[in-house]
Amino acid sequence: MSKNSNTTIQMIADFDGDINQLFKPVPDGDYPILFTRDLVVFPTVVSPILVGRKASVEVVRFLEQHKDAIFCIFCQKDPKTEHPTIDDVYPVGVFAKVIRSMDLPGEDENITVIAQSMERCRLTEIKKSKPYYVGSVVNAPEELPKENHPAKGHFPLLMQTLHETTRQYIINNDDIPNEMQSAFSGISNDTMFTNFVCFNIPIPVEDKMKLLETNDLENRVIELLKIENRELELFGLRQKIDRKTHQDLDEQQREYFLRQQMKNIKDELGSKEDNSDKAELLEKAKNIKWTEEQRKFFQKEIKKLDNLNLQSPDYNVQLTYLQTLIGLPWGKLTKDDLDLKRARRILDHDHYGMEKVKERILEYIAVLSLRHDLKSPILCLYGPPGVGKTSLGKSIARALGRKYVRMSLGGLHDEAEIRGHRRTYVGAMPGQIIKNIQKAGSVNPVFILDEIDKVTQNQNNGDPASALLEVLDPEQNSTFHDNYLDMDFDLSKVLFIATANDLNTIPRPLLDRMEVIEVSGYITEEKIEIAKRHLVPRELENTGLKDHEPKIKFTKAALEKIIESYTRESGVRQLEKQINKALRKLAYQQALNGTLETTTITPAHLEDLLGKPPFYRDIYQGNEYAGVVTGLAWTSVGGEILFIETSLSKGHGGKLTLTGNLGDVMKESAMIALQYVKAHVDALGIDYHIFENWNIHIHVPEGAVPKDGPSAGITIATSIASALTQRKVRKNTAMTGEITLRGKVLPVGGIKEKILAAKRAGITDIVMCQDNKKDIDEIPEQYRKGVTFHYVENVQDVWDFALTDEKVKNPVDLSIPQEIKKKE
């Protein structure tokens, strides 16, 4: 029924019990006319009408200005007619009034009109068509049963039948919700009920017009019952067909045996049933590079089609399997582009930095050019999110001229996703490995196994990580066995590249099969270059500002401030979002004012575009205080400087207090440093009694940030020594290195990030282990410029360089009274 029937029922309820006002005689005359398409309106019905035709819109505008004006509604014979004449419309319609009208949003001038229909009318002539239709109309009232009419006696029975038939119609029609029964039961007036059912029942316009043109209400009810009974018979026929269809499916087994007998008879007579599917498969199989064993297996499987009924489900299952076999790229190789200079150019263009990964790919291309049957390496790129591990796969594929496919392993919990389902299961299909090989169309694509560290360790549906062992083992993947294919497939030519954020969650046997390459986070200088080369041009295009004149650009200082003060990450995802946010603000200014205040974004503009910076970095704080030494730390988002503070307070026992949210390893470093200082008091020129009369407190700001690791060993030792001697630490000096109980300085990691953090903080001298010199040599010269490195082998070397002979201002008097010494 009508999709607006609920609204209509509610409005009819307002008139229920006061039907006489809807049947007040309307005089003959000239009235505005609204022509409808595929909509027949009956008396006493409230109808929503969508108006879009220009003449119809003009009628509505006229009626909006004349609230109580009456107009007429007539239905067109052909809904495609744009300018109807009197011959194009049905002659019988209804008088109506507009209850409400609503303009619809959009470019077209469409209006929804809620109209309350009244008596019937008949159109005799169209007087004019502009600006809207006006016609001569005569009243054509309905003939209602009179109280003393002979038919009045059986009319209630007729209405009761209509109610029951309508209820059955709603129950059997799946397109009508059962809630409509309660809607119909809310209409108590017989005339309204009859006209409402006529209006809403989904039947052709011709049938509705036949009902509307019936003058006598009783005859209209009879015609309506005929239509409903006809529809009910059709529903019953459909149900009978459905039942017969199910019976036919049950008889399929019997039909199969009969067809088998027919086939045997045909075989005896020397005739074969034509099978176009089999012929097509055999034709495609001629061009496939199969081994003799694989071809025999295919011939065996295709013969099974001859024993299956074309209409049986088993036939389609077998056909799908054979089509999968045929669709795989057996022996199809894309030709590798072995131009090393081109490959290097592509890799450098798409990604800044990542020298180790690029070097490994170029080595593979170089060896491949010398030995063409080389097995592909299986690489695992691991590092923090957002550094470009996944996108690097696309660049490698482009550099090699190979196809690119990607499979996300995050949350994978079913072994069948890797190896496929056995064909005995309903809905069986090959695993994702074979599917992606089929998608690539070659046996040597670049295959990205994304997020391999997030494979679920689930034993309920098998172990997906164990299933990957065969895929990623160069000694096994030449005969990879997919359960669905049930035959070996060669994956040895595929260049598998796995990506991971954390190696600790990857099972050790799986990790052992991959060549692990670390993709470390970007330093600030690298992020600036990435932003200039890639992120800013991409976001200019995304925000529609690419062609703006003059060109919009970020200064280097602005990019550095965004990196340092608005992001905390190893990669560049948040940096890209911040650049996008700044450019969105500029796009808003451009759209609002038609011009931009500036096209060169400097640090001074960033607060207006991005708000207050949420982060800040420490800067060097001088050497005016004893016991304060600058250390260097590595974090997941780059290098940082940190301050080791040591203070002394009078007390017995020489208690050591550690604060600053320190981890176990860092606490142990502090204890080792203190023990070393106690063992070498003579070298520092201090009295050993000091440890019995002064407590030592070591603090590492910021207290809310967890800190751990051994690299602050020499920094803590120097901080304690400075506090006990009240000597200044050399200005603009920072240090990093682990210490042993003997005072030996050991190498630490994260050197590149630490150096750049020191440069940003204004450090000019860095003290570190002699063994870290090899790490310094690998860092490009532009990153080392302005910093002097001092290599040490023990703590004494550190003190010799870092501790000056100058005392701090207002030094603490740490001398031990003679009476205390005499007591001992």
Side-chain angles (χ1 to χ4, degrees):
M1 296 192 177
S2 170
K3 65 182 178 181
N4 299 307
S5 57
N6 289 337
T7 303
T8 307
I9 292 168
Q10 181 61 45
M11 293 183 174
I12 283 181
D14 296 338
F15 288 93
D16 198 12
D18 195 16
I19 192 174
N20 292 329
Q21 63 176 309
L22 300 179
F23 284 99
K24 287 181 180 179
V26 180
D28 301 344
D30 296 343
Y31 292 93
I33 297 175
L34 182 65
F35 293 123
T36 61
R37 311 173 198 257
D38 291 330
L39 180 67
V40 180
V41 182
F42 285 77
T44 72
V45 170
V46 175
S47 172
I49 304 172
L50 180 63
V51 174
R53 187 163 29 199
K54 185 176 180 181
S56 301
V57 172
E58 293 295 332
V59 171
V60 175
R61 297 302 182 206
F62 169 78
L63 295 171
E64 287 175 343
Q65 297 172 5
H66 302 79
K67 297 296 183 183
D68 295 326
I70 295 175
F71 69 105
C72 299
I73 302 173
F74 294 95
C75 181
Q76 295 179 194
K77 295 177 181 178
D78 185 356
K80 296 180 182 178
T81 303
E82 192 64 30
H83 303 287
T85 63
I86 194 167
D87 295 327
D88 296 323
V89 298
Y90 293 103
V92 178
V94 292
F95 291 110
K97 285 186 177 181
V98 172
I99 297 176
R100 186 164 66 250
S101 64
M102 295 166 286
D103 291 334
L104 299 180
E107 297 181 0
D108 299 330
E109 191 177 7
N110 291 331
I111 307 172
T112 295
V113 177
I114 309 297
Q116 171 65 65
S117 61
M118 298 183 293
E119 284 192 315
R120 294 189 318 152
C121 59
R122 188 177 295 274
L123 180 64
T124 59
E125 182 185 359
I126 295 178
K127 290 293 188 67
K128 66 174 185 176
S129 59
K130 292 182 180 179
Y132 52 84
Y133 285 93
V134 175
S136 295
V137 179
V138 296
N139 198 320
E142 293 179 292
E143 296 179 13
L144 305 178
K146 301 274 179 36
E147 289 296 329
N148 56 357
H149 194 277
K152 185 66 178 177
H154 66 264
F155 185 72
L157 181 60
L158 200 60
M159 289 304 302
Q160 184 179 347
T161 305
L162 179 61
H163 276 273
E164 180 60 27
T165 307
T166 303
R167 188 179 71 84
Q168 291 295 328
Y169 180 83
I170 293 172
I171 292 173
N172 285 276
N173 194 327
D174 294 335
D175 296 332
I176 304 175
N178 291 332
E179 291 80 3
M180 285 296 291
Q181 293 185 44
S182 59
F184 280 117
S185 64
I187 305 174
S188 58
N189 186 281
D190 292 340
T191 305
M192 282 187 166
F193 180 81
T194 303
N195 288 335
F196 185 65
V197 175
C198 291
F199 175 70
N200 283 284
I201 190 170
I203 58 175
V205 171
E206 292 78 8
D207 289 343
K208 288 194 175 187
M209 282 308 306
K210 184 178 179 182
L211 292 171
L212 181 62
E213 290 171 353
T214 303
N215 296 333
D216 186 79
L217 182 62
E218 180 182 355
N219 292 334
R220 187 180 298 167
V221 173
I222 293 171
E223 290 297 324
L224 179 56
L225 283 170
K226 290 180 181 179
I227 292 172
E228 287 188 340
N229 284 319
R230 180 191 70 194
E231 294 295 320
L232 286 171
E233 287 181 8
L234 288 174
F235 292 148
L237 183 59
R238 290 193 190 100
Q239 291 174 358
K240 185 177 179 181
I241 292 171
D242 289 342
R243 286 194 298 271
K244 187 175 184 304
T245 303
H246 284 95
Q247 290 173 0
D248 289 345
L249 289 173
D250 294 337
E251 292 175 1
Q252 200 169 60
Q253 190 73 14
R254 174 177 170 274
E255 183 183 348
Y256 169 73
F257 286 111
L258 291 174
R259 286 187 176 273
Q260 282 296 106
Q261 292 179 11
M262 290 175 62
K263 176 182 174 298
N264 293 333
I265 293 171
K266 287 182 178 180
D267 287 344
E268 290 296 324
L269 295 172
S271 63
K272 292 281 185 183
E273 186 175 352
D274 222 10
N275 190 331
S276 57
D277 292 330
K278 180 180 177 182
E280 183 180 351
L281 290 170
L282 289 171
E283 184 63 30
K284 290 180 178 179
K286 291 179 181 178
N287 302 320
I288 295 178
K289 299 176 181 178
W290 270 326
T291 63
E292 190 61 32
E293 184 180 346
Q294 289 171 335
R295 193 168 294 279
K296 285 180 180 178
F297 180 84
F298 174 76
Q299 294 293 345
K300 175 186 171 184
E301 290 295 322
I302 202 168
K303 283 180 180 179
K304 293 180 181 179
L305 289 178
D306 297 332
N307 300 323
L308 296 172
N309 176 15
L310 270 66
Q311 307 302 321
S312 72
D314 289 341
Y315 178 86
N316 288 321
V317 169
Q318 184 67 11
L319 180 62
T320 303
Y321 168 69
L322 292 168
Q323 288 172 339
T324 302
L325 281 182
I326 292 292
L328 285 170
W330 301 93
K332 290 183 180 178
L333 292 162
T334 53
K335 186 178 180 182
D336 289 330
D337 192 327
L338 304 177
D339 186 343
L340 284 171
K341 292 182 179 179
R342 175 184 172 276
R344 180 78 200 197
R345 190 166 58 250
I346 290 173
L347 293 173
D348 287 340
H349 176 270
D350 292 348
H351 291 82
Y352 184 82
M354 296 187 176
E355 294 303 322
K356 289 183 180 178
V357 187
K358 293 176 182 177
E359 185 178 331
R360 181 64 185 88
I361 297 302
L362 293 173
E363 288 171 359
Y364 169 68
I365 296 174
V367 177
L368 192 64
S369 64
L370 300 175
R371 181 180 172 180
H372 297 284
D373 61 344
L374 179 68
K375 287 185 177 180
S376 295
I378 296 174
L379 308 178
C380 178
L381 310 180
Y382 86 95
V387 296
K389 300 183 296 297
T390 304
S391 61
L392 185 62
K394 285 187 179 179
S395 298
I396 293 172
R398 200 156 69 90
L400 284 168
R402 292 189 180 188
K403 299 290 183 66
Y404 167 84
V405 287
R406 186 184 73 89
M407 176 183 176
S408 178
L409 298 176
L412 192 73
H413 59 83
D414 191 351
E415 177 192 356
E417 291 290 327
I418 306 295
R419 283 208 181 105
H421 302 81
R422 299 187 186 280
R423 281 185 288 149
T424 52
Y425 294 103
V426 176
M429 61 181 68
Q432 291 294 327
I433 301 293
I434 292 298
K435 277 186 178 179
N436 279 286
I437 293 293
Q438 187 174 17
K439 176 183 174 183
S442 69
V443 295
N444 64 335
V446 174
F447 199 126
I448 302 296
L449 297 171
D450 212 6
E451 310 291 359
I452 197 170
D453 56 326
K454 297 175 181 62
V455 175
T456 304
Q457 305 295 315
N458 180 16
Q459 302 298 327
N460 295 332
N461 299 315
D463 187 1
S466 298
L468 283 170
L469 292 176
E470 183 184 2
V471 177
L472 299 180
D473 191 335
E475 301 301 321
Q476 297 181 46
N477 63 10
S478 59
T479 55
F480 172 69
H481 190 85
D482 185 276
N483 291 330
Y484 181 80
L485 290 186
D486 204 21
M487 62 189 297
D488 294 339
F489 192 88
D490 185 5
L491 297 178
S492 63
K493 301 291 192 300
V494 179
L495 176 55
F496 285 106
I497 300 177
T499 69
N501 300 127
D502 185 6
L503 296 181
N504 295 324
T505 59
I506 303 176
R508 186 56 52 185
L510 184 59
L511 190 63
D512 184 59
R513 283 164 168 78
M514 299 185 289
E515 182 179 341
V516 178
I517 301 176
E518 181 182 4
V519 183
S520 60
Y522 297 115
I523 57 179
T524 299
E525 286 72 7
E526 290 174 333
K527 290 181 180 179
I528 292 172
E529 287 299 319
I530 292 169
K532 288 166 60 178
R533 298 184 187 188
H534 302 286
L535 304 185
V536 172
R538 184 192 307 162
E539 294 308 319
L540 282 171
E541 185 171 355
N542 291 342
T543 52
L545 296 172
K546 180 181 178 181
D547 299 324
H548 186 277
E549 291 294 340
K551 296 289 185 182
I552 298 172
K553 60 182 180 179
F554 289 76
T555 65
K556 183 178 180 180
L559 290 173
E560 184 174 355
K561 185 170 182 181
I562 294 174
I563 294 164
E564 299 289 344
S565 303
Y566 289 88
T567 65
R568 271 293 183 273
E569 60 175 345
S570 298
V572 292
R573 283 200 183 115
Q574 295 303 319
L575 174 59
E576 185 174 13
K577 290 177 182 177
Q578 293 297 330
I579 292 172
N580 178 270
K581 182 179 178 181
L583 292 175
R584 287 201 314 268
K585 289 290 180 68
L586 294 180
Y588 174 74
Q589 292 179 11
Q590 175 71 27
L592 188 66
N593 305 323
T595 184
L596 294 177
E597 296 176 4
T598 181
T599 56
T600 301
I601 300 174
T602 65
H605 298 113
L606 292 181
E607 284 199 18
D608 293 334
L609 297 174
L610 301 177
K612 295 289 184 181
F615 307 108
Y616 70 93
R617 289 194 183 273
D618 290 324
I619 60 173
Y620 179 69
Q621 297 179 357
N623 65 340
E624 300 301 320
Y625 299 94
V628 179
V629 183
T630 305
L632 299 174
W634 178 92
T635 70
S636 62
V637 295
E640 295 278 358
I641 67 168
L642 54 81
F643 302 102
I644 308 293
E645 302 175 349
T646 301
S647 68
L648 305 176
S649 60
K650 289 184 178 181
H652 295 290
K655 180 182 176 184
L656 173 65
T657 304
L658 300 171
T659 57
N661 204 348
L662 308 184
D664 291 338
V665 176
M666 198 164 182
K667 289 178 181 178
E668 291 174 359
S669 294
M671 288 186 281
I672 293 171
L674 179 59
Q675 290 302 319
Y676 183 82
V677 172
K678 287 181 177 180
H680 294 79
V681 290
D682 294 338
L684 291 170
I686 58 177
D687 193 332
Y688 71 90
H689 291 93
I690 198 171
F691 297 107
E692 298 174 0
N693 296 278
W694 292 84
N695 294 326
I696 300 175
H697 186 157
I698 300 175
H699 177 66
V700 185
E702 300 163 346
V705 180
K707 309 165 196 72
D708 204 1
S711 64
I714 62 172
T715 315
I716 297 173
T718 306
S719 176
I720 296 172
S722 173
L724 293 173
T725 61
Q726 294 294 295
R727 292 159 63 184
K728 283 186 176 183
V729 177
R730 186 181 292 273
K731 196 173 184 180
N732 298 323
T733 297
M735 55 190 70
T736 181
E738 180 181 356
I739 61 171
T740 68
L741 205 54
R742 296 175 294 143
K744 182 175 175 60
V745 180
L746 303 179
V748 292
I751 296 298
K752 180 180 177 183
E753 290 81 1
K754 291 177 179 179
I755 290 173
L756 291 164
K759 284 186 65 176
R760 286 193 296 267
I763 300 296
T764 58
D765 293 271
I766 297 177
V767 180
M768 64 178 63
C769 176
Q770 177 70 38
D771 293 338
N772 279 125
K773 188 176 186 304
K774 63 181 185 301
D775 301 308
I776 299 297
D777 294 338
E778 291 182 359
I779 299 173
E781 177 62 31
Q782 66 264 30
Y783 299 147
R784 294 183 284 164
K785 189 176 181 182
V787 179
T788 304
F789 300 98
H790 303 274
Y791 303 107
V792 296
E793 293 185 352
N794 54 59
V795 176
Q796 194 62 52
D797 294 341
V798 178
W799 290 345
D800 291 344
F801 174 77
L803 292 177
T804 67
D805 294 332
E806 182 183 358
K807 297 280 186 176
V808 297
K809 189 176 181 181
N810 301 320
V812 178
D813 184 7
L814 300 176
S815 60
I816 306 299
Q818 290 296 324
E819 57 268 20
I820 295 177
K821 293 182 180 181
K822 286 179 179 180
K823 284 182 181 180
E824 297 187 4

